[in-house]
Amino acid sequence: LCLQESHVSDDALIQSMNIHFQTQSTIWSAHCGIISLNPSLVLQPLFITLDQRVIACQINHVNDLFPPITIINIYAPASPGPRQIFYEQIMTL
């Protein structure tokens, strides 16, 4: 599950979100998060950009029932000018 505008900024809030969603595996940034609700699916972080607007991770099945899947959660700025610059910058990742 990909979340945006989560505003998770400290460990206490991360713990609260994990309890609320009953997560099994999570990756959080200041702007967004990726969570697994399934104990058989484990998230492995690949990277989080410096501005914390992009999270990339690999999803692995604990029994290798399928090949790993890459998920990217992108939280772009709302304003057109900054949004265009943002997308131009992430194309170079």
Side-chain angles (χ1 to χ4, degrees):
L1 179 63
C2 288
L3 302 173
Q4 296 187 345
E5 292 196 33
S6 56
H7 306 289
V8 176
S9 56
D10 60 44
D11 290 338
L13 191 50
I14 289 172
Q15 185 177 3
S16 175
M17 294 288 277
N18 289 342
I19 291 169
H20 177 74
F21 284 105
Q22 298 181 4
T23 63
Q24 299 298 316
S25 183
T26 65
I27 303 169
W28 295 101
S29 76
H31 297 287
C32 50
I34 301 176
I35 64 176
S36 170
L37 305 174
N38 186 328
S40 295
L41 303 178
V42 178
L43 304 178
Q44 177 183 356
L46 297 175
F47 67 85
I48 298 174
T49 55
L50 290 177
D51 61 3
Q52 298 192 24
R53 289 184 168 272
V54 179
I55 299 174
C57 74
Q58 190 173 54
I59 299 175
N60 298 291
H61 191 278
V62 294
N63 295 322
D64 295 321
L65 293 181
F66 55 83
I69 300 169
T70 300
I71 297 288
I72 301 174
N73 190 357
I74 299 171
Y75 180 70
S79 302
R83 183 173 49 236
Q84 181 177 350
I85 293 167
F86 171 79
Y87 280 119
E88 288 170 358
Q89 290 174 343
I90 67 168
M91 291 303 292
T92 62
L93 294 176

